Amino acid sequence: MVLSADQVNLIGQVFESYVLEHHRDDILGILREADDEAHYPVVVDALTLFETNMEIGEYFNAFPSEVLPIFDSALRRAALAVLQAATAPPQLSVKQNLHARVSGLPVCPELTREHIPKTRDVGHFLSVTGTVIRTSLVKVLEFERSYICNKCKHVFVVKADFEQYYAFCRPSACLNEEGCKSTKFTCLSGTTSSTCCRDYQEIKIQEQVQRLSVGSIPRCMVVVLEDDLVDSCKSGDDITVYGVVMQRWKPFREDARCDLELVLKANYVKVNNEQLAGVVIDEEVRKEFEDFWEKHRNDPLAGRNEILASLCPQVFGLYLVKLAVAMVLAGGVQRTDATGTRIRGESHLLLVGDPGTGKSQFLKYAVKIIPRSVLTAGIGSTSAVYKD
């Protein structure tokens, strides 16, 4: 089932009126920007949008891949309406690369996930929370290509297929509506403009360890970022990705097994662990810190032992191991020797022991108290070595 023309018009009109009412200032700010070729996002709250028209919410949940381009087109029409109604148009300019970024989905199991989606979620728009464990380089992606028919000289556009890693499927016959059935075309890739290309990046997210049950191995998933979403996060960030769960496979080859995988095509990325450049410590915390060390001024080692006793309290004893973990978490100061060689301040730690001695408990505790950290299992580490 596909959306009819009446449904498309309804979705476009409702969304256009919504952004004109709630995001006019955001659009004006974008129109004042100097770069006309850049990509600009407008973050839309899903709850507020669905309250405006519940029918739009039903269409969005059923056909997210078809509704999102309609949102972008309606956003461009709204920007043009704001530009025409502005009192100082010379300071404003039209922006064609506008994107509606949907966030704030209702907190329910059908839309919000703390675990990696599965096959039954293909085609649904979900909110997935995880930790970034790997980011690829930013690449240039050609998402459409122009062909000219050798017989009728009709020029038509072929879009890359996301489900086949953006491969181009050559048409079998001319797409001219006048009835030309020629099968010979010439690719105009040599004259392709920059408008047929976009920024592209892939990241891999992992389930957050603190949300898993005991003994569970965190699973991973590839997330595809495009346009303004590129470089919006880095490894170690805890993020919430809003996007459509899709499947993709490499082109079929003889005597080769089809490699099918689930990916999340992101529409919006929210970084949950953004912090200020400097750590803000209020007077109460500072006074508590000073009183603690004033109490142990004559015996600082006793204060150190008290801190170690509260480190990973589920493990009894092992104060030497706790001291090593605490030193790694605290880190050091980078210094430069007389020859100009930089010596890093962070130390490495290798824990070796029999099964059941608490090695993983120390790692899980370190992940909880350090904002940017990634916990990987032995299986994930081994596969990462083979792939890289």
Side-chain angles (χ1 to χ4, degrees), residues 267-343:
N267 175 261
Y268 178 61
V269 176
K270 178 183 178 182
V271 181
N272 300 324
N273 62 328
E274 290 182 343
Q275 298 180 345
L276 299 177
V279 179
V280 179
I281 302 178
D282 55 15
E283 290 299 327
E284 183 178 354
V285 176
R286 187 185 300 275
K287 187 176 184 305
E288 183 180 359
F289 179 84
E290 294 175 353
D291 293 343
F292 177 84
W293 288 112
E294 180 65 24
K295 174 183 175 182
H296 300 91
R297 181 176 58 179
N298 297 328
D299 191 4
L301 292 181
R304 181 204 66 180
N305 293 338
E306 187 174 339
I307 294 176
L308 294 181
S310 62
L311 186 73
C312 196
Q314 63 268 33
V315 178
F316 178 78
L318 298 179
Y319 283 100
L320 185 61
V321 179
K322 291 184 179 182
L323 177 60
V325 174
M327 293 178 63
V328 171
L329 295 179
V333 179
Q334 179 178 317
R335 63 185 180 88
T336 306
D337 59 10
T339 61
T341 304
R342 292 185 177 181
I343 301 176

Side-chain angles (χ1 to χ4, degrees), residues 57-321:
E58 295 177 359
Y59 291 146
F60 180 78
N61 292 329
F63 312 102
S65 299
E66 291 79 10
V67 173
L68 288 173
I70 300 175
F71 284 175
D72 292 346
S73 301
L75 184 59
R76 287 191 290 269
R77 293 197 302 269
L80 183 59
V82 172
L83 178 63
Q84 294 174 352
T87 56
Q91 301 176 359
L92 309 177
S93 58
V94 179
K95 307 296 189 300
Q96 295 296 330
N97 299 320
L98 301 179
H99 304 281
R101 302 304 184 189
V102 180
S103 67
L105 290 178
V107 181
C108 60
E110 293 78 10
L111 300 176
T112 306
R113 302 292 174 85
E114 296 178 351
H115 302 287
I116 297 301
K118 298 183 179 180
T119 306
R120 63 175 180 268
D121 299 316
V122 172
H124 295 134
F125 190 92
L126 301 178
S127 166
V128 182
T129 302
T131 302
V132 181
I133 61 174
R134 189 180 305 170
T135 59
S136 69
L137 296 175
V138 179
K139 303 177 182 179
V140 178
L141 171 69
E142 184 184 10
F143 64 93
E144 64 180 26
R145 187 176 292 174
S146 299
Y147 288 88
I148 183 172
C149 177
N150 294 343
K151 181 179 179 181
C152 65
K153 305 303 180 184
H154 174 67
V155 179
F156 53 92
V157 176
V158 176
K159 294 186 178 294
D161 187 4
F162 176 86
E163 294 183 340
Q164 298 190 47
Y165 288 81
Y166 285 102
F168 287 93
C169 299
R170 189 180 180 89
S172 58
C174 179
L175 302 180
N176 193 346
E177 297 179 355
E178 297 181 357
C180 175
K181 299 299 181 181
S182 176
T183 58
K184 296 184 179 180
F185 319 103
T186 300
C187 180
L188 301 178
S189 59
T191 60
T192 301
S193 62
S194 59
T195 57
C196 298
C197 300
R198 60 175 49 151
D199 294 331
Y200 177 87
Q201 184 184 28
E202 289 187 3
I203 65 174
K204 181 175 286 189
I205 62 173
Q206 176 183 272
E207 294 174 331
Q208 294 179 327
V209 180
Q210 57 270 27
R211 301 179 185 271
L212 298 176
S213 58
V214 179
S216 300
I217 297 178
R219 296 180 296 144
C220 303
M221 186 177 194
V222 175
V223 179
V224 176
L225 307 179
E226 294 178 356
D227 299 328
D228 57 289
L229 299 179
V230 167
D231 277 341
S232 58
C233 59
K234 50 189 176 295
S235 297
D237 286 342
D238 287 331
I239 64 174
T240 300
V241 184
Y242 300 85
V244 183
V245 181
M246 304 183 69
Q247 54 188 359
R248 64 179 183 179
W249 56 86
K250 294 182 179 180
F252 299 115
R253 296 180 180 177
E254 188 176 357
D255 297 330
R257 185 177 181 180
C258 179
D259 186 14
L260 182 68
E261 69 170 344
L262 293 181
V263 297
L264 187 62
K265 189 175 182 181
N267 175 261
Y268 178 61
V269 176
K270 178 183 178 182
V271 181
N272 300 324
N273 62 328
E274 290 182 343
Q275 298 180 345
L276 299 177
V279 179
V280 179
I281 302 178
D282 55 15
E283 290 299 327
E284 183 178 354
V285 176
R286 187 185 300 275
K287 187 176 184 305
E288 183 180 359
F289 179 84
E290 294 175 353
D291 293 343
F292 177 84
W293 288 112
E294 180 65 24
K295 174 183 175 182
H296 300 91
R297 181 176 58 179
N298 297 328
D299 191 4
L301 292 181
R304 181 204 66 180
N305 293 338
E306 187 174 339
I307 294 176
L308 294 181
S310 62
L311 186 73
C312 196
Q314 63 268 33
V315 178
F316 178 78
L318 298 179
Y319 283 100
L320 185 61
V321 179

